[in-house]
Amino acid sequence: MRELLGSFIRSFHKAIRGEMDAMRKRLGPFEVPLKNARRADASADGDHVYVFDVIAPNDKLALHTECTLRCEGSELVVTVTGLDRGTVTVRSGHRVPLELATYTLVIYPWFLYERLSHALEGLVDGDEAAMTRAFTAFGKIEPVKTPTPTRLPHPGLNESQLRAVGLCCSSNLAFVWGPPGTGKTTTLGHIVTELVAHGHRVLVTSTTNAAVDQALQKLAGLEAARGALDRGDIVRVGHTHGDTFGAALREVVNRVHRDAHERLEELKSRLMAATGRARQCAQFQSKLEDAAEPLQGDLFEESHAVVLGDWELRAVFDEADLPRLRALPPDQLLDAVRCERDRLEGEKAACQAGIRETSQALSDREPEIVRKARVVLATMTNVYISPLLTGERFDVVIVEEAGMAILPTLFYCATLADAKAVMVGDPKQLPPIVQSRAPYVRQVMGRSIFEVTVPRPHASDVVEMLDTQYRMHPAIGDLVSG
């Protein structure tokens, strides 16, 4: 098996290098315009951390991607460490100027293939048992079927969908063939809940965030999954703009560690209030100091004392302090404003320190949440680049839209399964997308896993085709079927 593994990895490396060369020639780098740079806390290793606003939505951004930040005619190497709605956080070993109007994040898409090659190389010295499921998925080891009855009711599923659920229970390799409109993703949700009921830990992965989000949507709509969602047993790893139904990793962390999350929100609220009041103090201080400057004009020019109105005092001081403040002469009122500003700056610093500490404590809980999850959903890219998934193993790996997954990535994902691999897709739809025209690259990366393992799907006992479609007019469905 070790020799076979070496042969697979050498073939994958050669094809990946060819695809990377084609991407450099045909695509070039992607550019993401940014603005509003601000400094965040330094990382544990002393690197600088910055947050930027993303000027326009971009689906090319991915966590843990190494790229370059273009600013003032120079390029700094940075790593994407955070993605939120409309913002990106990067880490760099160099300082970034904060005064520029715009910045450009330059992404080299072949970087992900470099990381994939590195992940595949790591399999060479791995446990041979971990390769068994991958070689089974690629047709090098015969699948094993053990008749296993289902444990959950699956209301609403038709006969072919029920057979697909049963196949996934009974076989250590299953292909669910779902033509358009046949309820493929709905069936996938039932497969997940059934396998969890059998005590399995499940990874659901696909090539795109959209496919993972759709799988989560169908799963979240099942009664059998609601308790698992509430308990944090279903976790969505990675950034997405879609609805996460409370399964996003940070949502689960906040729910499981509610006290820390509530403290974090309180600190953020206090920081916002203190920042606003400190800003008002700075304005009042400047106003009072300007009024206190000796007049440079005519010695006989009348001085105009500046008086702060009650509405201004209320913006900074408590209501109970107003009578005392009204009675103060201008110089003492200025001292009171300065003192209050100093106090507010101290409160800001304390809140910021508390936010850093509490945020870090919540982040430290993320690996524990992932480790305990019974169902993890992530894109195939995140499976091999996210530190949260490094070293994680699953009983079952389910690949949605498996026919579109490039074979090296699919092989790596299949090595994470200890018991079963399930391929869900349609061999008659789009194959994997590759840029290279080289026959070798297309042979190794551009074929569907259906073509590799079950080239005659109708004749295979590990393939279940969903045969009832619900989406189209029968005339259109008949045309597609033909």
Side-chain angles (χ1 to χ4, degrees), residues 33 62 83 106 137-138 178 220 270 290 389 397 400 416:
L83 292 169
V106 185
F138 275 67
R270 284 175 52 195
D290 289 346
L389 295 175
V397 171
E400 164 70 311
L416 304 181

Side-chain angles (χ1 to χ4, degrees), residues 277-329:
R277 294 175 69 180
R279 189 182 301 115
Q280 290 279 14
C281 270
Q283 294 174 359
F284 298 162
Q285 181 178 335
S286 177
K287 186 176 180 180
L288 292 168
E289 287 175 344
D290 289 346
E293 290 291 328
L295 295 172
Q296 300 298 318
D298 190 337
L299 291 175
F300 298 99
E301 185 174 346
E302 183 180 357
S303 174
H304 298 280
V306 173
V307 178
L308 295 178
D310 282 359
W311 66 272
E312 291 177 299
L313 294 173
R314 286 192 184 94
V316 174
F317 297 97
D318 294 334
E319 184 73 28
D321 294 328
L322 261 58
R324 176 181 62 83
L325 294 168
R326 291 192 198 101
L328 293 177

